[in-house]
């Protein structure tokens, strides 16, 4: 903003406390658990005890007879139910077959949760076991049973992408390497578990209190699943206790609560237990990945050939579509002329994966950055110089069609390397590998590319805003963008205040009710600050124009000579206060030609959908980051301690400094958990550690020192120049730690997680490296 | 509505006795679950791993089960003493430093504030943190019943995972720890995936007294490597009366492998547990040799 408004310092870049912080910190936030709807019944779901079986019979008679039970339903009670989820490949209540341990067989609505649980124990299910497809190898075997009709070979989805000619690329290479990587299961562990409250009004309209991340698209999904008019569904989102992508799809529990509400005519509340959250909410996509890459002697990358096989689990959710993001990293993080990429997602009887912060990028980056390090060593270059040589720069259009209008990647590399003393330490630690003593230090680097200006995966990637300013200059900002704890309300309020010259207290954000808020595609793909921010700015600018036009008329000055600052209409040049804004608005309102200041704005980013070859420019801007991790490896125990993370993030521009720091720190810790401690152990279809005792999140003492630098490239399309940052900080950590362990010990570990036993085995030659089992 | 068995619904009576005699009377009648801090009992009951008896007795008001004090050449720790109280006790810190270290590694503040040493012992987990140093220190359980009181050395107290020789009508009143000889020092080592709030993959308590160049009164106890916490007697014998040099330490670590019987579970494989006992015992012994 070129406007000179000396009286009002800019809010951009300041450290602004989250608007909901006082409520949350004082325990007053009313999450879905705290909502008591009068007359509500409590629902519980009976899940399969078999991994793969035919359902022979279900006897619910004893459960129905239990006092306090209002309804017991099975698939037979809802013959009109329809398949749900990304793949539309499963019914909320299973009819004749279960394909995983989480499968929903029956549900109860009762006066209390305890009665509902007791009723579940009275339901008798008779199964006829079927062979269990415990992994992709079993599922791809020629004689494997078919898990879904019309899915021969148990193939749920495939992706193929090509640029250039990899054979030519290989011929031009001086060095070619090939490795297999295995990425494990982890899950979101939101503090707030899944839940929904469903109720119908007497006219048959459905009201849902839901933790969804995509209220508008889900209206349609629910309507389709229920066979009702989407216009009759209203979704209210109570404050959401974390989502991280997990609430991007609809899951059986939601239609089931709706069925129960419909059948009982009462509101129905269904909340997961923590154990259920582990068993029946999605995971991150596990991946087996074969990467072949090459470069010339001078360090120029020549080609990459990638094959991956994804364990799709029993049903298809967003996890299956993570190749969209994986192939961007493979084709476009560095300049690679020739790429070939193939993925198959294979149905098994395991849990199924959903969307999870980073969306396939943690997995792809893990492999790509291992090869960057190995190729650099093979041609005798240091890792920094090798990466700089191949790093994208502003102005580049990649063979996949991505246009990097702003790009601070090289600066990220240089900054992170300089601030962490990467080159010196890398050489010093490598020299210490054979020194006596079990404890070694290492330093490792990894970088990432991620969408930072939305992601056009639907025909629209837009967001609407309604803005009203009342008689007291109080702004109500109605935005389609959902708050899931990421701080979007605060940043949107801040952007609006910046336009209107108001203090933050002057804004109320309304963002959780589909009957009030305008359309938005949902909170995902690091898009909210960028897309909803541009939308909010658009609405605020319209309001400002309206106010200034009226003020010009009143004062006889030109609109250009006027501005808004400090809650007043001011002379732009001098900052002299002309009228107090509230008083001026009252004057507008209570006049013969009465006017209210209310505006709407819809922002659609200038991005392009991918074509059928997966080429396109899906984001209006791209975010970049380099993270350097320093570790200590104890070869006597296999314990890897993460000592320090030095990050440099191209975020376009810092809007709320406190918010962005929190976002990065939280993401780093999530990446740390993925790398070092978290491991959802899936063994023949069974999750062996569905609890926080054995599923180990990072705890406070392990959180490393962090040194974060923001690279401000002022993106031309971004709100005040900002780009999305939500997913970025989690993406590189595992890859950087792998490189750091290599630097410390000389051992390259190709599979996650780096839990003590796994690392110990790798260091002592007692672990088989991952083998390719994805077929020829 | 017995079927509506949320965790607590099976309980017919809840008793909070004010004297030991009263408590022992309730226990004598049978069908009783004992509640101290509840940090094991409640999660286990909720998970269906323990069935609560018709009578739930809350023992937290029994003055006879409290206090840490010197008594007859030893230190008596009441069964109700919390982990926090042990950690705050100067006597424990100075005289039973192995135990103090275990308390310092125990769970989180919230749990330590309610978890009792008696609960830790009676829960009899092979990974229980206070069990390992107490075993190394030669402590005994003091068990009371209406018929009288008996003392059982911890080496005999534990009979299997989650099992002890305590009879249902008995209450653990205290644990008695003989005062270690002057100069006795040791190291407690808890090994897991993360440094806080973790259950041991393996744990070790190693203590000894330096006598010139050699170590005497060597004690080595191991957790999570057998159905009960165990003393590594063969490893102790290797070190007893010898200097903690590299050869002795290596021989002791090797000998310990014959003392243990680890299993594979979600936390680790038996192979890894053996490796950790060997590596960490070497580390602990060389440390103790320098204390
Ligand atoms: C989050 C969490 C973390 C934990 N971390 C650790 C850890 O790091 N290290 C560790 O060792 N443990 C840990 N535990 C387990 C537990 O906290 C300890 O075992 C604790 O010492 C149990 O004490 P309590 O008083 O809570 O026992 P309770 O749960 O009250 O009782 C445990 C058992 O002992 C019986 N009992 C209790 N007192 C007596 C008595 N005086 N006489 C006879 N029987 C009795 C009870 O009937 C019950 O069977 C953890 C538990 C949780 C929930």
């Amino acid at each position: 903003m070129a406007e000179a408004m000396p009286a009002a310092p800019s809010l951009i870049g300041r450290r602004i406390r989250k608007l909901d912080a006082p409520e949350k910190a004082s325990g007053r936030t009313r999450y879905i658990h705290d909502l008591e709807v009068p007359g509500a019944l409590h629902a519980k779901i009976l899940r399969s005890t078999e991994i793969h079986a035919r359902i022979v019979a279900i006897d619910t008679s004893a459960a129905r007879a239990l006092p306090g039970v209002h309804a017991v339903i099975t698939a037979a009670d809802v013959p009109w139910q329809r398949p749900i989820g990304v793949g539309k490949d499963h019914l909320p209540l299973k009819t004749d077959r279960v394909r995983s341990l989480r499968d929903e067989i029956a549900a109860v609505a009762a006066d209390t949760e305890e009665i509902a649980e007791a009723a579940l124990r009275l339901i008798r299910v008779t199964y006829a076991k079927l062979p269990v497809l415990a992994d992709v190898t079993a599922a791809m075997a020629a004689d494997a049973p078919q898990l879904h009709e019309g899915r021969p070979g148990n193939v749920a989805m495939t992706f193929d992408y090509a640029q250039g000619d990899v054979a030519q690329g290989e011929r031009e290479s001086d060095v070619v390497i090939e490795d297999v990587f295995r990425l494990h299961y982890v899950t979101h562990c939101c503090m707030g578990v899944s839940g929904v409250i469903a109720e119908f009004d007497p006219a048959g309209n459905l009201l849902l209190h839901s933790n969804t991340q995509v209220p508008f698209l889900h209206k349609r999904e629910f309507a389709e699943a229920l066979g009702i008019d989407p216009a009759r569904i209203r979704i209210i989102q109570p404050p959401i206790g974390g989502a991280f992508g997990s609430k991007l799809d609809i899951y059986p529990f939601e239609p089931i609560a709706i069925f129960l509400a419909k059948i009982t005519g009462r509101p129905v509340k269904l909340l997961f237990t923590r154990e259920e959250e582990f068993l029946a909410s999605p995971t991150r996509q596990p991946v087996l990945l074969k990467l072949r890459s090459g470069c010339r002697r001078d360090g120029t990358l020549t080609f990459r050939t990638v094959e991956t096989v994804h364990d799709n689990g029993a049903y298809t959710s967003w996890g299956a579509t993570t190749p969209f993001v994986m192939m961007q990293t493979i084709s476009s993080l560095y300049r690679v002329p020739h790429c070939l990429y193939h993925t198959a997602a294979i149905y098994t009887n395991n849990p199924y994966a959903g969307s999870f912060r980073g969306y396939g990028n943690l997995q792809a980056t893990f492999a790509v950055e291992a090869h960057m390090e190995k190729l650099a060593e093979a041609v005798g270059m240091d890792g920094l110089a090798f990466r700089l040589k191949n790093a994208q720069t502003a102005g580049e259009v990649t063979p996949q069609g991505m246009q990097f209008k702003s790009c601070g990647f090289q600066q990220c590399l240089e900054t992170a390397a300089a601030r962490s003393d990467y080159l010196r330490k890398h050489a010093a630690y490598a020299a210490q590998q054979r020194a006596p003593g079990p404890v070694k230090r290492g330093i490792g680097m990894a970088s990432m590319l991620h969408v930072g200006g939305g992601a056009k995966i639907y025909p629209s990637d837009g967001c609407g805003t309604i803005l009203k300013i009342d008689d007291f200059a109080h702004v109500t900002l109605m935005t389609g963008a959902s708050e899931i704890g990421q701080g979007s309300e605060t940043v949107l309020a801040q952007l609006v205040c910046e336009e209107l010259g108001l203090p933050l207290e002057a804004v109320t954000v309304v963002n959780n009710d589909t009957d009030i808020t305008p359309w938005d595609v949902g909170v995902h793909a690091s898009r909210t600050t960028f897309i909803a921010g541009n939308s909010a700015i658009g609405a605020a600018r319209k309001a400002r124009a309206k106010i200034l036009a009226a003020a010009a008329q009143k004062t006889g000055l030109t609109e250009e000579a006027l501005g808004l600052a400090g809650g007043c209409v001011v002379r732009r040049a001098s900052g002299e206060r002309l009228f107090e804004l509230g008083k001026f608005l009252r004057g507008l309102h209570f006049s013969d030609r009465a006017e209210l200041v209310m505006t709407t704005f819809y922002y659609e980013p200038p991005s392009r959908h991918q074509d059928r070859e997966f080429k396109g420019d899906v984001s209006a801007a791209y975010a970049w980051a380099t993270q350097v991790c320093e570790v200590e490896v104890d070869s006597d125990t296999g314990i890897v301690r993460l000592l320090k993370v030095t990050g440099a993030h191209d975020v376009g521009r810092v809007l709320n400094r406190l918010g962005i720091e929190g976002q990065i720190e939280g993401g780093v810790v999530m990446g740390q958990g993925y790398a070092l401690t978290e491991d959802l152990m899936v063994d023949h279809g069974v999750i062996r550690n569905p609890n926080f005792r054995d599923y180990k999140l990072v705890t406070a003492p392990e959180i490393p020192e962090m040194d974060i630098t923001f690279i401000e490239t002022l993106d031309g399309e971004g709100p005040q120049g900002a780009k999305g940052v939500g997913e970025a900080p989690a993406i590189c950590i595992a890859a950087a730690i792998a490189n750091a362990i290599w630097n410390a010990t000389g051992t390259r570990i190709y599979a996650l997680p780096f839990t003590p036993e796994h690392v110990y085995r790798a260091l002592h030659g007692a672990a088989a490296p991952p083998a390719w089992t994805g077929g020829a | 509505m017995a079927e509506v068995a949320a965790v607590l619904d099976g309980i017919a009576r809840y008793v909070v006795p004010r004297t030991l005699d009263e408590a022992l009377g309730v226990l004598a009648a049978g069908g009783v679950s004992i509640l101290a801090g509840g940090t094991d009992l409640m999660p286990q009951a909720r998970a269906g791993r323990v069935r609560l008896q018709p009578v739930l007795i809350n023992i937290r008001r029994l003055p006879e089960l409290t206090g840490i004090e010197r008594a007859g050449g030893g230190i008596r720790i009441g069964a109700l003493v919390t982990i926090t109280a042990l950690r705050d006790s100067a006597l424990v810190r100075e005289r039973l430093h192995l135990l103090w270290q275990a308390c310092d590694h125990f769970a989180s503040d919230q749990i330590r504030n309610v978890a009792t040493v008696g609960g830790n012992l009676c829960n009899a987990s092979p990974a229980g943190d206070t069990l390992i140093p107490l075993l190394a220190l030669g402590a005994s359980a003091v068990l009371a019943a209406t018929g009288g009181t008996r003392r059982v050395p911890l080496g005999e107290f534990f009979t299997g995972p989650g099992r002890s020789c305590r009879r249902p009508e008995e209450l653990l009143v205290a644990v008695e720890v003989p005062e270690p000889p002057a100069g006795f020092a040791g190291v407690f080592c808890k090994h897991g995936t993360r440094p806080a709030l973790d259950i041991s993959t393996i744990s070790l308590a190693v203590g000894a007294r330096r006598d010139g160049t050699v170590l005497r009164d060597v004690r080595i106890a191991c957790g999570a490597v057998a159905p009960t916490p165990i003393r590594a007697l063969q490893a102790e014998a290797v070190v007893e009366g010898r200097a903690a040099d590299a050869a002795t330490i290596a021989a002791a670590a090797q000998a310990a492998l014959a003392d243990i019987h680890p299993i594979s579970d979600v936390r680790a494989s038996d192979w890894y547990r053996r490796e950790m006992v060997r590596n960490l015992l070497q580390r602990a012994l060389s440390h103790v040799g320098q204390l």
Side-chain angles (χ1 to χ4, degrees):
Chain A
M1 293 294 88
E3 294 166 48
M5 285 193 288
S10 169
L11 288 169
I12 303 305
R14 294 218 339 239
R15 304 175 67 83
I16 294 172
R17 188 176 79 176
K18 279 169 90 171
L19 298 181
D20 57 2
E23 265 212 343
K24 282 189 171 155
S26 60
R28 279 177 213 200
T29 305
R30 287 192 207 113
Y31 295 98
I32 197 160
H33 293 68
D34 306 307
L35 295 183
E36 294 295 345
V37 178
L41 299 174
H42 298 268
K44 287 279 169 196
I45 293 172
L46 182 74
R47 298 180 187 281
S48 177
T49 53
E50 293 297 327
I51 300 159
H52 190 199
R54 269 192 318 107
I55 303 172
V56 176
I58 310 174
D59 178 2
T60 58
S61 52
R64 286 178 206 266
L66 187 70
V69 169
H70 291 251
V72 180
I73 58 169
T74 67
D77 300 291
V78 285
W80 32 272
Q81 65 169 337
R82 295 189 204 165
I84 61 163
V86 169
K88 298 280 181 288
D89 57 5
H90 63 139
L91 290 167
L93 286 163
K94 310 307 182 252
T95 47
D96 56 347
R97 188 172 173 192
V98 290
R99 295 176 180 83
S100 73
L101 267 188
R102 57 163 292 169
D103 277 22
E104 299 76 6
I105 291 179
V108 177
D111 286 329
T112 66
E113 273 188 82
E114 288 75 13
I115 296 174
E117 263 167 22
L120 292 188
R121 287 195 292 272
L122 297 175
I123 299 172
R124 297 285 166 261
V125 185
T126 317
Y127 300 95
K129 290 190 193 205
L130 294 167
V132 172
L133 302 180
D135 52 38
V136 293
T137 311
M140 289 191 304
D143 58 346
Q146 198 171 312
L147 286 177
H148 291 270
E149 297 281 302
R151 300 287 181 174
N154 289 315
V155 177
M157 245 184 224
T158 59
F159 288 82
D160 284 285
Y161 170 77
Q163 74 190 31
D165 172 3
V166 288
Q168 185 195 329
E170 184 147 355
R171 279 194 301 277
E172 291 168 2
S173 305
D174 296 310
V175 179
V176 173
I177 53 175
E178 180 176 304
D179 291 296
V180 177
F181 300 85
R182 192 179 56 234
L183 293 313
H184 65 309
Y185 284 100
V186 293
T187 187
H188 307 69
C189 300
C190 302
M191 283 199 272
V193 292
S194 304
V196 67
I197 304 172
E199 63 183 298
F200 285 91
D201 73 9
N205 298 309
L206 171 62
L207 172 63
L208 288 175
H209 281 86
S210 159
N211 286 345
T212 178
Q213 293 179 243
V214 281
F216 291 96
L217 294 179
H218 281 183
K219 273 176 72 147
R220 188 190 201 117
E221 295 265 326
F222 284 126
E224 277 175 10
L226 301 165
I228 65 173
D229 176 1
R232 302 183 71 170
I233 300 177
R234 176 181 183 187
I235 297 179
I236 296 178
Q237 297 151 289
I240 298 172
F244 307 108
S246 62
K247 292 154 177 106
L248 215 58
D249 200 358
I250 67 172
Y251 304 105
F253 78 92
E254 295 161 308
I256 286 172
I258 298 169
F259 300 156
L260 287 167
K262 193 169 170 109
I263 286 167
T264 59
R266 297 265 294 265
V268 168
K269 182 172 185 176
L270 194 158
L271 298 174
F272 276 14
T273 61
R274 177 57 66 184
E275 188 182 34
E276 226 174 353
E277 185 78 7
F278 273 108
L279 298 174
S281 71
T283 69
R284 192 184 284 286
Q285 180 64 54
V287 174
L288 187 70
L289 186 153
K290 186 166 67 178
L291 173 62
R292 187 173 174 84
S293 19
C295 69
R296 293 179 206 267
R297 204 166 291 119
D298 70 356
T300 314
L301 292 175
T302 45
F303 80 99
R304 276 200 193 117
T305 305
V306 184
E307 261 193 275
T308 78
V309 44
H310 293 188
D311 187 327
N312 193 62
Y315 306 105
T316 303
S317 184
W318 290 113
T321 72
T322 48
F324 277 121
V325 173
M326 297 180 72
M327 63 175 84
Q328 291 180 353
T329 290
I330 287 157
S331 76
S332 302
L333 169 60
Y334 298 98
R335 282 187 301 271
V336 193
H338 309 286
C339 273
L340 190 64
Y341 175 90
H342 171 77
T343 290
I346 305 294
Y347 283 118
T348 66
N349 293 119
N350 288 325
Y352 61 88
S355 145
F356 193 167
R357 191 182 202 174
Y359 211 95
N361 209 349
L362 286 78
Q363 298 92 318
T365 301
F366 186 78
V368 163
E369 285 291 346
H371 269 200
M372 292 307 283
E373 202 74 13
K374 286 183 81 167
L375 287 172
E377 190 173 273
V379 297
M381 283 174 80
D382 73 62
L384 176 64
F386 185 75
R387 287 179 173 87
L388 280 169
K389 184 167 180 78
N390 294 288
Q392 301 285 3
T393 51
E396 202 104 21
V397 180
T398 77
Q400 211 190 339
M402 299 154 88
Q403 296 184 30
F404 300 137
K405 283 160 251 168
S406 68
C407 173
F409 185 15
Q410 300 204 342
Q411 245 178 301
C412 289
L413 280 163
E414 281 161 352
T415 307
R419 293 191 66 96
S420 63
D421 201 7
Y422 173 80
L423 288 176
R424 190 190 63 77
K425 284 188 174 173
H426 195 272
Y429 293 153
Q432 289 294 307
Q433 279 174 12
R434 309 254 166 275
V439 180
K440 296 285 172 1
R441 280 199 178 198
I443 193 165
M445 166 184 283
S447 300
M448 73 99 222
L449 151 70
H450 206 73
V451 292
K456 200 159 279 177
I457 51 174
Y458 301 101
S460 163
D461 188 25
C463 175
T465 302
I466 304 171
L467 185 147
K468 85 175 168 83
I469 313 184
D470 72 10
D471 280 5
F472 311 100
H474 188 82
V475 177
T476 305
L477 175 74
M478 287 163 261
T479 172
S482 302
E483 171 71 38
I484 53 172
Q486 82 277 41
S488 67
E489 312 182 322
T490 312
V491 91
L492 295 180
Q494 189 187 353
L495 290 169
V496 164
C497 290
E498 184 73 5
E499 297 299 326
L500 298 178
L502 289 170
L504 273 167
E505 307 77 68
V507 182
T508 299
V509 181
V510 175
N511 55 2
N512 68 343
D513 185 339
T514 56
D515 270 8
I516 296 172
T517 60
W519 194 83
D520 173 72
V521 80
V523 46
H524 67 105
S526 308
R527 67 184 285 282
T528 298
T529 295
F530 193 97
I531 307 281
N534 274 330
S535 182
I537 289 176
R541 286 195 178 151
K542 276 178 144 179
R544 190 183 57 178
K546 199 165 178 177
I547 294 165
L548 294 187
Q553 217 169 33
K554 180 158 175 170
T555 56
L557 296 166
T558 63
E559 288 167 38
E560 292 69 41
L562 295 166
L564 296 176
C568 292
V569 178
V570 299
R571 273 185 205 274
R572 176 178 283 206
S574 64
E576 179 199 337
R577 291 162 182 239
L578 297 173
F579 331 103
E580 190 253 312
L581 187 60
K583 203 166 167 192
F584 180 71
L585 291 168
R586 284 196 292 280
L588 273 184
H589 176 192
F590 294 107
S591 71
D592 348 340
R593 279 176 297 135
E595 261 287 23
L596 294 176
V597 179
M598 294 245 279
T599 62
T600 67
F601 193 82
Y602 185 74
Y603 176 75
E604 179 66 43
S607 45
R608 271 188 306 116
H609 220 250
Q610 284 179 344
D611 61 20
R612 297 173 71 168
E613 296 182 332
F614 301 109
K615 292 184 177 169
D617 189 26
V618 292
S619 189
Y622 295 89
W624 305 88
T626 298
Q627 288 174 327
V628 174
C629 289
E630 200 170 342
V631 302
E632 198 171 80
V633 184
D634 184 340
S635 60
D636 276 353
T637 60
I639 288 181
V640 177
R641 283 208 308 138
L642 180 58
L643 304 173
K644 183 171 180 186
V645 175
T646 307
H649 286 256
D650 171 7
V651 300
R653 187 169 182 195
V654 175
L655 299 178
N656 178 2
R657 192 167 297 275
L658 196 58
I660 203 167
E661 284 173 1
Q663 194 72 358
I664 302 243
E665 288 164 7
V668 165
V669 175
M670 197 169 242
Q672 180 184 7
Y674 183 60
L676 296 180
T677 61
E678 294 181 49
D679 184 10
L680 192 71
M681 300 173 190
V682 178
D683 183 4
H684 285 77
V686 182
I687 293 175
R688 293 180 69 205
N689 55 340
N691 56 64
F692 282 132
R693 186 189 56 217
D694 298 322
Y695 184 97
K696 297 182 198 294
L697 289 169
V698 168
T699 58
E702 299 126 273
I703 293 178
E705 181 191 347
M706 295 185 211
D707 173 297
I708 311 296
T709 306
F710 298 106
I711 308 295
E712 300 197 280
T713 48
L714 300 180
D715 189 86
E717 186 63 30
Q720 297 282 359
K723 305 196 261 195
V725 71
E727 295 164 277
I731 291 170
C732 305
I733 300 291
I737 291 178
N739 287 339
I741 294 173
W742 197 41
N743 179 229
T745 64
T747 301
R748 163 73 51 191
I749 312 181
Y750 295 91
L752 284 175
F754 301 143
T755 42
E757 177 165 356
H758 181 196
V759 171
Y760 184 83
R761 282 180 178 274
L763 294 179
H764 297 270
W772 179 251
T773 53
Chain B
M1 283 215 302
E3 268 299 331
V4 187
V7 178
L8 298 178
D9 287 0
I11 297 169
R13 220 173 119 219
Y14 175 66
V15 208
V16 190
R18 303 300 170 117
T19 67
L20 182 58
D21 284 346
E22 198 189 332
L24 297 180
V26 174
L27 283 169
V32 185
S33 292
I34 301 172
L35 173 76
T39 61
D40 278 319
L41 189 69
M42 296 317 294
Q44 288 169 4
R46 286 191 71 116
R49 276 181 288 132
V50 158
R51 225 190 135 81
L52 291 180
Q53 299 295 307
V55 179
L56 184 67
I57 181 172
N58 177 345
I59 58 171
R60 293 206 75 136
R61 305 271 172 84
L62 297 179
E64 295 90 340
L65 272 59
T66 60
I68 307 171
E69 72 248 335
R70 281 203 154 94
I75 295 169
R76 178 191 179 280
I77 302 170
L80 283 177
V81 171
T82 63
I83 307 303
T84 298
L86 285 172
R87 199 161 155 264
D88 289 348
S89 157
L91 184 58
V92 172
R93 189 171 188 147
E94 280 154 28
R95 297 299 298 134
L96 306 176
H97 199 253
L98 266 182
L99 176 61
W100 184 88
Q101 292 173 55
C103 295
D104 195 42
H105 283 89
F106 199 106
S108 60
D109 281 336
Q110 291 92 329
I111 297 289
R112 287 197 285 255
N113 287 341
V114 282
T116 65
V117 66
N120 204 218
L121 289 168
C122 291
N123 187 56
S125 159
D129 278 332
T130 69
L131 283 56
I132 317 305
L134 286 171
L135 185 64
L137 291 165
S140 298
V142 183
L143 296 167
T146 44
T149 297
R150 61 178 180 137
R151 284 175 171 66
V152 183
L154 287 190
E156 294 157 31
F157 181 72
F158 306 109
T159 54
R163 281 181 285 124
S164 70
C165 70
R166 183 183 68 83
R167 299 183 197 113
E169 69 278 14
E170 283 178 324
L171 194 63
L172 176 73
V173 183
V175 55
E176 287 177 352
V177 194
E179 275 211 49
F184 186 87
V187 178
F188 175 76
C189 155
K190 178 173 177 173
H191 177 61
T193 301
R194 58 185 180 203
L197 256 182
D198 209 353
I199 297 182
S200 305
T201 301
I202 67 128
S203 57
L204 294 171
V206 179
R209 176 172 62 84
R210 277 264 289 275
D211 179 6
T213 57
V214 303
L215 295 180
R216 298 202 190 279
D217 298 320
V218 177
R219 298 297 175 83
I220 301 171
C222 312
V225 292
T228 65
I230 56 156
R231 284 266 292 277
L233 296 171
Q234 301 179 64
E236 288 179 3
V238 170
V239 188
E240 186 66 41
R242 296 220 175 77
D245 54 33
T248 305
I249 288 173
Q254 201 56 38
L257 298 182
D259 288 314
I260 63 176
H261 311 280
I263 56 160
S264 295
D265 61 16
V266 284
R267 283 184 273 287
S269 67
D270 56 346
W271 176 82
Y272 180 70
R273 288 194 158 100
R274 287 178 182 282
E275 293 287 299
M276 288 310 100
V277 166
R278 200 189 54 215
N279 295 352
L280 294 174
L281 184 55
Q282 297 199 33
R283 208 175 261 189
L285 278 170
S286 56
H287 192 152
V288 169
Q290 284 153 24
L291 284 176

